[in-house]
Amino acid sequence: MDCSALCIIIITLFFPPVGVFLISGCGADLLINICLTILGYFPGHIHAFYLEYVYYHRKNLGAQGTVFSKPATGVYSDRIQTGGHRGTAYGTM
């Protein structure tokens, strides 16, 4: 685990939408996380940590040259779907 992942996890412990914003930017995933955090602090955490898991998992797979065959369930940000890699979304090159 690198330093950026650790910092984002610590930030997410205190305020989940900020952690989501740092990995996905401003979009549907952030809006969903804000709503879940308002409804209850625990659902916001679950959603944020799921998005962070998908992002860093796909980031590691992309670094190894793996092509993603299908999108992760419940993730609407292309940045998270590709792990921050450009041009590798949904199995395309």
Side-chain angles (χ1 to χ4, degrees):
M1 180 182 301
D2 59 353
C3 183
S4 66
L6 185 61
C7 290
I8 289 176
I9 288 171
I10 291 171
I11 290 169
T12 303
L13 284 173
F14 296 107
F15 198 60
V18 174
V20 172
F21 174 75
L22 291 174
I23 61 169
S24 72
C26 189
D29 287 319
L30 178 62
L31 180 63
I32 291 168
N33 191 265
I34 290 171
C35 292
L36 286 171
T37 303
I38 289 171
L39 290 174
Y41 202 60
F42 190 65
H45 275 92
I46 293 172
H47 181 254
F49 285 125
Y50 171 69
L51 293 177
E52 290 171 8
Y53 167 76
V54 170
Y55 176 77
Y56 283 106
H57 179 68
R58 290 184 177 227
K59 183 177 180 178
N60 290 336
L61 289 176
Q64 297 171 0
T66 303
V67 178
F68 313 112
S69 61
K70 61 182 181 175
T73 306
V75 177
Y76 301 100
S77 169
D78 286 336
R79 186 172 176 200
I80 294 175
Q81 291 286 0
T82 62
H85 298 284
R86 295 184 181 171
T88 57
Y90 315 127
T92 61
M93 294 183 81

